[in-house]
Amino acid sequence: MLFIGTFFLVLLLQLPPHALQQSTVQLNGNGYENVVIAINPGVRENEDILAKIKGMVTDASFYMFSATQRRFFFKDVKILIPKSWTSKGYQKRKHESYEKASVIVADFYVKYGDDPYTLQYGGCGQQGRYIHLTPNFLLNDDLIDVYGLRGRTFVHEWAHLRWGVFDEYNLEKPFYISGDNKLKATRCSSDVKGLIVCNGEICNDNDCIKNIKTGEVKDGCEFVPEKIQDAKTSIMYMQGLSSVVDFCDEKTHNTEVPHLQNKMCNYQSTWEVIKQSADFKATSPISGTSLPDPPSFSLLQIKDRVVCLVLDVSGSMNLEKRIDRMRQAAELFLLQVIELESQVGIVVFSSGATIKSPLTVIKDAESRQQLIAQLPRVADGGTNICSGVRTGFEVIRKLDGNTHGSEIVLLTDGEDTGISACFGEVASSGATIHTIALGPNAAKDLEKLADMTEGFKFSATDKLDSNGLIDAFSGISDGSGVISQQSIQLESIADAVEPGQLLRGTVALDSTVGNDTFFLISWQPDGTLPLIQVKDPSNKIYTIEDFVQDSVLHTARLQIPGTAMSGEWTYVFNNTLATTQVYSMVVTSRAANSNAPPITVNAHMSQDTVNFPNPMVVYADVSRGFSPVLGANVTAIIELTSGKPVTLDLVDDGSGADIAKNDGIYSKFFYSYNGDGRYNLKVRVHGKNTDDSLSTRKAGRRALYIPGFVVNGTIQMNPPRPVFTDNTTQASVGKFSRTASGGSFIVSNVPPGPLPDTFPPCRIVDLDARADNGTIYLTWTAPGDNLDEGQATSYLIKMSESPLELRDNFENSTALNTSTVTPRPAGSREVFVYVPELESSENNTIIYFAMRAIDNSSLVSDISNVAQVIIVIPRDDIGKNGGKDVFASVIWIVIGSAVAIFCSINLL
């Protein structure tokens, strides 16, 4: 059974990983197309930025073509220009949006430098989210000495983004003690020549070493490369060297270096990981000696938003009060979500389609109410989705004759097998279609409309105590990147209240929001408005008389004048009826200051579709601008269109599904499937207290800031990299509340009944080793019986003087005696202590450790990360006991219990 479990996991981990989200980039032949580079609306207008982008990508294309052995280049690039820039004949965008761009150009909110970086959510081989470049990086030629030529730096970041490789340096551990007991710079390859420099002056190893056991060096000690040298690798270490033209491969990769590529990719070189990518497997090198054509560039500009609501009014919309709930959700969109100066039309469809309202400019409250009055009240007939989509296009074309850059919000609950009839029209329309599937029977091909147009995908259940429809409409942003104008959902709740009972709670408004703040209350059509009381932080009370009521839509809304007061707002609903009533409340607001970004939440799953028994990962990116928000309570609620929701607490601890600690990205495994079908993701975030931290550094994989160069034996230092005394600064934003929809995803092949035990313990990724006076302390966080839940049955701990032996020959490596060890529940912090008896002719011995966990079905986790320890052995103790028995002095200690659960597994 142990062999079977191991075989299952090996098979699982060898299959190609999916991207974290569907990439808009396409590989056509050997050329990348539809690469979108979006300029943030806050960037000051400067046409030189456009020229620099073109030059950078063109140089990158040729450099990458050579580095990938004549395999990849950039073919088609789109530069997305903000609406605020002067129109100079730029083309109108189609599907392209700031939120889904592969590359963004933006300043940092908390400025710490101009490091180009890539935001990576997933593990080795998984695509990243985006590359971030600053305007100063593009415009300031003085930074070329710091990062290297822009084209080369772009290839470094593209490798992060597209192929899921990691940096081959380590800012936290720039030096290490090598196997031959020498202090060496953390780099790949070791062929890169240079000198150790202490505060700008050449120094030797002894001057630099602070702690021989850990490889820790003194402040001001750094490795400075020779500017002219022969080293050809590696692009993921120091692409700024003119000689570097290749990625590290099996021959040049340094396996003993403690950098992230070794940790995340199990000591594989970057080229090995690239060769395993879907891109590599789908292409062959281009023969000959000629270079590819330079990439073509399109300059696109964002215009005012044009949206058409295409709403299903077929007979099935009468079921489960769907049409009433659709009206309530659409009212929220028209009243609070859609931005001023946008143009909105309304189309309804059943067997055919009808225009309810032509495009109307959102100028004021009156224009919003005019549109709300046109929302449908009656449902009847069949379902013809294509008729609705075509009529939506008809409404949009009346503006300027085309549909480029427009949006359709398509909501339907009905089955329709003829939806493919309009796929061609949709694909060529240049419009974006956002789909909302209501109930369990919405058309199976509905999401294809969103996929082919880069739209959002949502689903909602028929449960009255679920706000799925409202959350879906709230999540449809405009894609312009103008966060200050977007509606931010602070709270979204729905609950059944017994007769005479109260529904009460709090909403925390922080200082980053407060403008255009609304409380929207809704109730079921056969009920009545509850008694309502809302109290602001100064104890001012708003009652039912302060709400604007709509007896047709069964809603009541309260708009807070001016900028809402920061602090905790409390609410109380009182059900005065003799029957149980379902009430819902949504609170939205906008940024308090257009020049300061608000706290936002971006939630999504690791995949759009999955087949059982493969697990998924839930992600929630909580940030203020580009600064991660730390210390928040983040809860994911995942709900099948029929069935009970699953609740998960997401963590940002840098272990397990979460690959980086304190980067503001909260993560968790999900595998508790309730059956086949559409699932909906919702995330609730609460700032714990006023001491919640705002990091000054957006975690990501970044280009190395080169400290200087050795030129003809002379040290030429670059300006020092901006340094902060602490990686965090207290964010004076107060407590905060956020709720965000993460869209929908589809699960298939879930077996009926209780799920079989197919999930092994997840991989331990935080194994650490520390030596103290000849005693070694191994620490890690316990995995579960199933990934990161439950309790494993046993551990296998192995040691070696070679990390590759642990990776490639784990079963035959030297074992530590763990027969008496009982693993603690998942999330417990554990420590294993043992005293080795070693023979050595050297004062220092380097030992490597790795481990696996086994569950009660004999399913075995993947091999953990490899931990390294340096043992300083006094001469008098060497060989004293002839100690070859590593079982001799083993002690087991368990300390504490962590709240978070730390595990990892590679996703399919």
Side-chain angles (χ1 to χ4, degrees):
M1 292 182 68
L2 176 61
F3 173 77
I4 293 172
T6 304
F7 174 77
F8 168 81
L9 188 62
V10 170
L11 176 63
L12 182 71
L13 298 178
Q14 285 180 342
L15 292 175
H18 285 264
L20 292 169
Q21 63 177 39
Q22 183 177 5
S23 174
T24 61
V25 177
Q26 299 169 355
L27 182 61
N28 184 359
N30 295 78
Y32 288 111
E33 298 181 334
N34 199 37
V35 178
V36 177
I37 302 177
I39 300 173
N40 187 281
V43 173
R44 182 178 301 177
E45 183 171 352
N46 186 338
E47 288 190 75
D48 288 345
I49 292 177
L50 306 181
K52 293 292 188 179
I53 290 174
K54 292 179 180 179
M56 174 188 69
V57 179
T58 300
D59 292 344
S61 184
F62 297 131
Y63 183 61
M64 182 170 66
F65 185 68
S66 173
T68 58
Q69 300 175 14
R70 301 182 59 83
R71 193 175 291 265
F72 302 120
F73 60 92
F74 294 110
K75 189 174 183 179
D76 167 55
V77 178
K78 298 178 173 64
I79 303 176
L80 191 59
I81 299 168
K83 180 174 65 174
S84 58
W85 284 29
T86 304
S87 179
K88 297 183 178 180
Y90 303 130
Q91 300 176 46
K92 190 176 181 180
R93 67 160 172 170
K94 295 181 181 179
H95 311 304
E96 299 80 12
S97 68
Y98 179 85
E99 281 81 0
K100 294 190 176 184
S102 299
V103 185
I104 57 175
V105 178
D107 285 308
F108 292 103
Y109 173 62
V110 180
K111 190 171 180 63
Y112 64 87
D114 294 286
D115 290 354
Y117 78 82
T118 301
L119 184 60
Q120 288 177 274
Y121 286 179
C124 184
Q126 295 182 325
Q127 291 185 21
R129 173 61 185 87
Y130 59 76
I131 296 170
H132 182 181
L133 307 175
T134 67
N136 194 48
F137 168 79
L138 292 169
L139 296 172
N140 186 355
D141 289 344
D142 291 340
L143 294 179
I144 292 176
D145 275 342
V146 171
Y147 301 106
L149 295 172
R150 295 186 186 94
R152 290 166 164 257
T153 303
F154 190 73
V155 172
H156 175 102
E157 299 306 324
W158 186 262
H160 286 314
L161 179 76
R162 187 69 184 183
W163 303 314
V165 299
F166 292 85
D167 289 320
E168 294 172 342
Y169 63 88
N170 189 335
L171 293 177
E172 295 181 357
K173 195 170 184 179
F175 293 90
Y176 70 101
I177 303 298
S178 66
D180 55 1
N181 288 308
K182 293 182 179 179
L183 182 72
K184 293 186 177 180
T186 301
R187 67 196 192 278
C188 192
S189 74
S190 55
D191 293 340
V192 176
K193 299 175 183 178
L195 298 174
I196 295 177
V197 173
C198 299
N199 297 314
E201 301 293 334
I202 298 176
C203 59
N204 58 41
D205 295 7
N206 294 331
D207 294 331
C208 195
I209 296 176
K210 183 177 183 180
N211 188 330
I212 187 64
K213 292 185 289 185
T214 63
E216 185 180 1
V217 297
K218 299 176 182 178
D219 292 340
C221 180
E222 49 194 344
F223 175 77
V224 177
E226 295 182 6
K227 192 161 191 176
I228 306 300
Q229 57 181 291
D230 299 327
K232 294 185 177 181
T233 56
S234 168
I235 292 171
M236 300 313 296
Y237 168 56
M238 195 175 286
Q239 75 290 331
L241 293 175
S242 59
S243 64
V244 170
V245 293
D246 294 325
F247 295 101
C248 266
D249 59 16
E250 299 93 322
K251 296 179 180 179
T252 58
H253 182 63
N254 189 344
T255 57
E256 69 176 2
V257 179
H259 54 53
L260 203 56
Q261 173 66 19
N262 273 337
K263 177 182 178 181
M264 296 299 299
C265 295
N266 202 16
Y267 292 89
Q268 293 182 96
S269 68
T270 55
W271 187 241
E272 289 176 274
V273 175
I274 292 171
K275 289 196 296 184
Q276 295 168 21
S277 69
D279 289 353
F280 194 95
K281 294 176 181 179
T283 57
S284 299
I286 297 176
S287 60
T289 59
S290 61
L291 295 175
D293 292 333
S296 62
F297 294 90
S298 303
L299 301 182
L300 313 177
Q301 189 167 29
I302 296 173
K303 304 296 183 181
D304 288 329
R305 196 174 188 186
V306 178
V307 181
C308 186
L309 302 183
V310 178
L311 308 176
D312 189 346
V313 292
S314 61
S316 57
M317 287 293 291
N318 288 314
L319 302 174
E320 306 293 341
K321 302 179 177 62
R322 291 173 185 168
I323 192 165
D324 297 296
R325 292 189 292 123
M326 178 183 72
R327 284 165 54 81
Q328 291 174 339
E331 180 200 26
L332 172 75
F333 180 79
L334 295 171
L335 186 66
Q336 298 169 235
V337 176
I338 191 71
E339 300 85 358
L340 287 172
E341 303 304 323
S342 301
Q343 299 194 55
V344 182
I346 300 175
V347 166
V348 297
F349 71 94
S350 55
S351 302
T354 303
I355 299 173
K356 294 288 290 184
S357 174
L359 291 178
T360 301
V361 179
I362 303 293
K363 294 181 178 180
D364 47 29
E366 182 180 353
S367 56
R368 294 181 187 272
Q369 290 299 326
Q370 289 175 357
L371 286 164
I372 290 172
Q374 298 303 315
L375 293 174
R377 303 182 184 183
V378 179
D380 187 31
T383 305
N384 187 334
I385 292 173
C386 283
S387 69
V389 171
R390 289 171 177 141
T391 306
F393 287 158
E394 178 185 338
V395 169
I396 295 168
R397 286 193 189 98
K398 291 181 179 179
L399 179 64
D400 60 7
N402 67 61
T403 56
H404 291 178
S406 63
E407 301 168 74
I408 281 181
V409 178
L410 172 62
L411 183 150
T412 182
D413 74 335
E415 298 181 8
D416 183 357
T417 58
I419 191 172
S420 60
C422 54
F423 281 176
E425 299 166 63
V426 168
S428 62
S429 68
T432 298
I433 297 182
H434 311 297
T435 59
I436 304 175
L438 176 56
N441 299 316
K444 302 301 181 184
D445 288 339
L446 182 64
E447 283 81 6
K448 292 181 180 179
L449 297 174
D451 288 338
M452 67 178 64
T453 63
E454 301 178 21
F456 296 113
K457 296 174 287 189
F458 302 96
S459 64
T461 72
D462 281 327
K463 295 169 59 178
L464 293 180
D465 59 352
S466 173
N467 268 3
L469 270 183
I470 285 177
D471 296 335
F473 274 99
S474 297
I476 302 174
S477 60
D478 67 349
S480 69
V482 186
I483 301 297
S484 62
Q485 296 180 11
Q486 294 180 6
S487 176
I488 298 172
Q489 189 166 271
L490 309 183
E491 183 62 281
S492 172
I493 62 164
D495 205 355
V497 183
E498 299 292 331
Q501 298 300 306
L502 304 177
L503 174 63
R504 63 173 73 239
T506 62
V507 181
L509 267 72
D510 56 276
S511 61
T512 69
V513 295
N515 286 340
D516 199 21
T517 301
F518 274 89
F519 287 73
L520 179 67
I521 314 299
S522 59
W523 59 94
Q524 59 197 63
D526 55 357
T528 61
L529 176 68
L531 292 179
I532 306 173
Q533 179 177 291
V534 175
K535 184 168 63 176
D536 73 11
S538 69
N539 292 323
K540 179 179 179 178
I541 296 175
Y542 299 87
T543 63
I544 190 62
E545 288 76 18
D546 299 302
F547 283 74
V548 177
Q549 302 177 39
D550 189 321
S551 59
V552 176
L553 291 174
H554 310 101
T555 60
R557 62 185 184 276
L558 170 67
Q559 181 174 17
I560 308 302
T563 301
M565 181 180 296
S566 298
E568 286 192 311
W569 291 61
T570 61
Y571 59 86
V572 178
F573 301 161
N574 185 357
N575 180 12
T576 60
L577 298 183
T579 58
T580 300
Q581 296 292 304
V582 176
Y583 302 123
S584 73
M585 184 186 73
V586 176
V587 183
T588 62
S589 189
R590 300 186 196 274
N593 185 341
S594 60
N595 296 319
I599 294 174
T600 58
V601 178
N602 177 24
H604 67 273
M605 302 297 294
S606 56
Q607 298 153 245
D608 289 334
T609 60
V610 68
N611 292 319
F612 182 86
N614 300 319
M616 304 182 75
V617 176
V618 189
Y619 296 104
D621 186 351
V622 186
S623 61
R624 186 182 183 192
F626 295 103
S627 299
V629 175
L630 311 181
N633 289 328
V634 183
T635 302
I637 303 167
I638 302 172
E639 191 172 22
L640 183 62
T641 48
S642 59
K644 294 183 179 180
V646 176
T647 300
L648 299 173
D649 292 327
L650 310 186
V651 296
D652 182 19
D653 297 276
S655 297
D658 189 68
I659 70 167
K661 183 178 181 179
N662 289 338
D663 63 351
I665 299 169
Y666 299 75
S667 314
K668 184 72 171 181
F669 286 108
F670 172 66
Y671 62 89
S672 300
Y673 307 124
N674 295 326
D676 290 353
R678 294 182 175 97
Y679 287 71
N680 186 61
L681 169 64
K682 178 177 181 176
V683 170
R684 298 171 62 86
V685 181
H686 295 283
K688 296 178 182 178
N689 51 55
T690 55
D691 290 330
D692 285 331
S693 293
L694 186 70
S695 176
T696 61
R697 301 181 59 79
K698 184 65 173 180
R701 314 311 149 212
R702 61 189 72 248
L704 180 63
Y705 191 103
I706 303 174
F709 294 98
V710 179
V711 180
N712 297 324
T714 302
I715 305 296
Q716 296 182 358
M717 300 299 291
N718 285 322
R721 188 178 187 277
V723 175
F724 286 81
T725 57
D726 191 352
N727 279 342
T728 60
T729 182
Q730 296 304 314
S732 57
V733 297
K735 294 182 179 181
F736 66 92
S737 301
R738 296 291 187 273
T739 303
S741 174
S744 64
F745 59 97
I746 297 175
V747 179
S748 304
N749 300 327
V750 179
L755 297 181
D757 186 0
T758 56
F759 298 103
C762 60
R763 178 179 181 242
I764 297 166
V765 297
D766 64 343
L767 178 64
D768 185 60
R770 179 175 60 88
D772 188 11
N773 294 325
T775 299
I776 296 177
Y777 298 84
L778 298 178
T779 61
W780 70 94
T781 308
D785 174 75
N786 295 317
L787 297 179
D788 54 9
E789 292 187 7
Q791 186 170 346
T793 301
S794 61
Y795 292 122
L796 295 173
I797 303 178
K798 299 294 184 79
M799 63 177 289
S800 174
E801 294 189 11
S802 166
L804 292 186
E805 180 182 1
L806 291 172
R807 183 191 73 176
D808 301 333
N809 196 19
F810 180 87
E811 297 304 322
N812 294 323
S813 299
T814 304
L816 277 66
N817 186 358
T818 59
S819 60
T820 61
V821 174
T822 301
R824 300 279 289 177
S828 300
R829 191 66 174 166
E830 298 185 326
V831 178
F832 185 80
V833 182
Y834 95 102
V835 181
E837 297 179 0
L838 302 172
E839 290 182 342
S840 177
S841 59
E842 299 289 341
N843 281 339
N844 303 330
T845 299
I846 299 178
I847 306 176
Y848 299 90
F849 298 89
M851 64 185 301
R852 306 178 84 168
I854 306 170
D855 71 7
N856 57 13
S857 297
S858 296
L859 298 176
V860 185
S861 73
D862 193 17
I863 301 170
S864 71
N865 66 294
V866 177
Q868 170 188 329
V869 68
I870 303 170
I871 301 178
V872 180
I873 304 176
R875 283 288 181 180
D876 293 342
D877 295 338
I878 294 175
K880 181 180 292 184
N881 299 316
K884 297 182 179 180
D885 181 9
V886 299
F887 299 93
S889 302
V890 180
I891 307 169
W892 173 257
I893 303 176
V894 178
I895 59 172
S897 179
V899 175
I901 296 174
F902 309 124
C903 308
S904 176
I905 192 168
N906 287 338
L907 298 179
L908 299 184

